[in-house]
Amino acid sequence: MYEIGQWVFDSLSGNKVRILEKEDLWGYVSYKVYDPVFKKIYQLDEKHILATSETVDSEAYVRYISLLSKIRNKLSGGILSQLGESILPLPHQIYALNKALSNNNVRYLLADEVGLGKTIEAGLIIKELKTRGLIKRILVVCPKGLVTQWHIEMKEKFNETFNIILPEDYDTIRRLNNNMNVYEDFNQVISPMDSIKPLEKRAGWSKEKIDKYNNDRIYSIVNGGWDLIIIDEAHRVAGSSSEVARYKMGKLLAKSSPYLLLLTATPHSGKTEPFLRLVRLLDEEAFPDYRAIVKEQVAPYIIRTEKRDAVDHEGNKLFKNRITRVIEIKWEERHSLQKKLYEMVTNYVSYGYNKALKTKKPYIGFLMVLMQRLVSSSTSAIRDSIERRIEILENQASHIPDLSIEDFAEVEAEVSLEELLTSVTFDFKKELDELKNILVVAKQAEYQYLDAKAEHLLDLLDKLFNEDKNRKVIIFTEFVTTQSFLRDFLNSRNYSTSILNGSMSIEERNFVLKEFKTKTDILISTDAGGEGLNLQFSNVVINYDLPWNPMKIEQRIGRVDRIGQKNDVLVFNYVLEGTVEKRVREVLESKLSVIFEQMGIDKMQDVLDNELAEIDFTDVFIKSITDPKFEDYYIDKMESDIKEQVNQAKKIRELITEDKAIDLEVLSTVGEFNTNQLLQQMYINYKSYRNEAIENIEQLFVDFGNEEVNQIISQELKWEKTEGAVIINLPDLPNEKGYWSLWELSLGNATDEKIVLPLFINLAGRNRPASAKRIWDELCKPNRKIDILGVKHFVEDEYEKIYSSAKEIAYDNFLELKKRYEEKIEQKYRKYNYALDLRIEAAERIGIENIKRSRLKKLNQERVEMQKKFNMKKQICPEFKPIFFALME
């Protein structure tokens, strides 16, 4: 006679089942039972029911239940993926992984400052979600310059192979795979951002052609059935408006995948609207409008560490010192023509820029800005550009460039120059005559003497390499022509060089990087070429010319000032004496240092690394050049603007900075055990105790994507008092005699919150927590000798005493589990309730009464439903039950 609710064994299936009902009809006694493995209810004849299993005292069962419990514990709150094979994550990176795993809805903004390894954090999350069987198809969307970095880091650090798919590959892939959607045949893909954004118009293209282009790119990728999408440099998809093509792309991608990671070091530039668009990609419902941009609402979605808070595994500061020197280059008599050339170009730029403003031709203004930067870069660069401009004008090959102010701000100088040189002129004869006069002086200056900067560069390099002949040096310039000049000049002085620029393919970039690391002394890179590089093996950066946006300078230095840099970083910034740029920069940086000191900011790079990414000196530089008598006015105005921006930045920092404490102890659990190995051993022992054969056991591979494995893991377990305790001896393990048991603590059926606790209570009734964990670990070791000596049945109130002690011991674990769960659901409730308040407030302003009433009625009903769901989730019905008992000899 069996009782309702009792756990028994089905002798036919070998499974443990729970009795739900008893049926006695015409002398046939049967029971309705529930099988937790296969989640099914069925009738079972009484003669096939056993009170105890014949196999629970087998070694295979003991191993299986120990391994299963260990895996369940990790699933409920630990890291399953095997980290540390090719990488030992830093404390802040493990923090990022744990926060991402704290919510079943993995949609986050990874916003660490530059150089802290957001790619690594994304890789850790990929690995963990794959290990748990939650994702298979992954898409990474990033700027073209970062494609190689993603491919290499995923392969080298995580052994994950991603396929790079470029637009030029589409037709070939279609032919090879006979599939119109080029993405369907690849589970892990990296795609450049701008190659898939939708087009709205293009000169000479029909609507049909544009539609086909968009279908080939954005729509085929959106329909790829992705489980996880990662967008790197995600601030680029926030756009200046919701109509920008990149934002449309981001919105489509965000809706097409359950899991989403947005990566950016500059999530908030000081403007609320782009930030709102960015976080709405993660959760539209939580951010109905700009009023939702408050810390409490934003915090659940942001994972951010600042450089000043980052530490290594021993708790030491992560980044080395940075030593910056400004090199002021004077024009000597031998450089007289270079000085004259600078003055002539400055006059040309001043007139051209002012004329562009009056005639409302911004593209001419953009060209003038570049001409001024070219003459400060090198004689070769300005001479080459003037020659090309003259040729374009003489051949009447000019046109109106399709380049917006936003494009000009984003696109690197080497890229925009090619487009702007073809700009239509406003005074053909005057500009042509002036350019020809400048060209004569430019050619003479090249022949007169070597550029003043190049002279000093040679002396600096000789000094650096005399100090350390194995040193690697990086020289940055804005322009390809200056790059070519420096390469030829340095090669002629017996320095070996590599060059990198934005026109190079991914394969060429990879070759150059390898060449620089293994062979050459110097890498000469443009800004576009240097995007996304990790060059920690070098610690010297020479800025041969200086962009007018300080953030670009910071990005250059960030190529070497990264995690893994073993030496102090040396930075040399070249400026030409007697130039407007030098004078304005000097005054501005002096004023900046005072502002930052007043605001409590240590150094400029602390600001430029993050929120003030939009500081740009271009306006004040060009206005000081074109209207020099008002130079002081423009500088003072810039100072005022910067003060305002710094104040805004402090508010933004408060908004996006996480209140967190990074725990170094968490590192001790990383890679604690090999999940795949445990899973395999658990499965083998499960099959063994059930006497089920495994075909091709040598080739066996199981993971969380295996349906049978998931059935085993998710089954309900309960150890009955009548089953007694399996008598176990672990040879060579010094241990007192007592009861070792595994207990499952959960908060009830409405939640997934549960843990398994090991307990060891000696025969004197004392709790031994260290012994409990040690025994569990020993039972999980595959080659550990285990002696099974039978089963001991409990006598009198022996079981009740152990159960009472176990309940008392587990109470603190219950409180911790309860607190964590309540905080999670309350945060979620507050988040959506706050958003709902904002939507109701907005509805109150609707002018048409019947529409307003209808809208408010729906919103209030939504609140009722949300409150109902919250009240249901708040219910805690704790359950505490044994899942295994052993008497340790």
Side-chain angles (χ1 to χ4, degrees), residues 342 346 349 368-376 581 625:
Y342 175 85
T346 301
V349 167
M368 294 302 106
V369 168
L370 288 184
M371 287 294 193
Q372 188 68 43
R373 281 149 63 177
L374 280 159
V375 75
S376 296
E581 295 96 318
I625 288 165

Side-chain angles (χ1 to χ4, degrees), residues 588 590-601 607 612 615 617 635-651:
L588 273 175
S590 172
K591 289 178 179 289
L592 276 175
S593 64
V594 174
I595 292 170
F596 294 156
E597 186 178 349
Q598 291 171 348
M599 302 277 183
I601 296 168
V607 178
L612 285 187
I615 284 184
F617 295 161
I635 292 175
D636 289 344
K637 185 176 182 304
M638 183 70 171
E639 179 186 13
S640 174
D641 290 344
I642 290 172
K643 280 182 180 177
E644 186 178 334
Q645 286 194 60
V646 170
N647 276 321
Q648 176 71 359
K650 292 183 82 173
K651 293 177 185 175

